[in-house]
Amino acid sequence: MPTLPAPTNAALYSIESASSLGLIIRQARKRQHLTLETLAGLCGISIRFLSELENGRDTCGMGRVLRVLETLGIELLAQPMDSDS
């Protein structure tokens, strides 16, 4: 399974797919020593939804995704891509 570098206070990750977002969420949950069941309960979502989110299912509802990120203390920012690319 791929892993991300250990985060710093200013760590930024490029989210290019549902899978990369799921990986960020899974690693944050594990760093905080939370089980799927515990995090799902804190967020008010089902364990199945959280599992699908961590596994990169791209049809997950954005509102619930944002609730998971907020619970984990992850801020989602959008930035225009460089036009030189």
Side-chain angles (χ1 to χ4, degrees), residues 2-83:
T3 59
L4 297 170
T8 64
N9 288 339
L12 297 176
Y13 301 110
S14 178
I15 299 171
E16 299 169 354
S17 66
S19 294
S20 61
L21 178 59
L23 181 59
I24 290 167
I25 290 169
R26 175 181 286 123
Q27 290 183 349
R29 176 180 60 80
K30 289 185 175 189
R31 273 194 310 275
Q32 295 179 37
H33 307 287
L34 297 171
T35 64
L36 278 169
E37 183 177 22
T38 301
L39 180 57
L42 289 170
C43 297
I45 59 173
S46 70
I47 295 169
R48 179 179 175 173
F49 174 84
L50 184 55
S51 177
E52 289 174 350
L53 176 59
E54 287 188 357
N55 285 301
R57 183 169 180 184
D58 57 3
T59 58
C60 291
M62 190 62 162
R64 290 185 287 174
V65 172
L66 293 173
R67 193 176 328 149
V68 171
L69 293 173
E70 180 181 10
T71 300
L72 289 170
I74 298 172
E75 183 177 15
L76 184 62
L77 304 171
Q79 176 177 329
M81 292 199 276
D82 292 335
S83 59

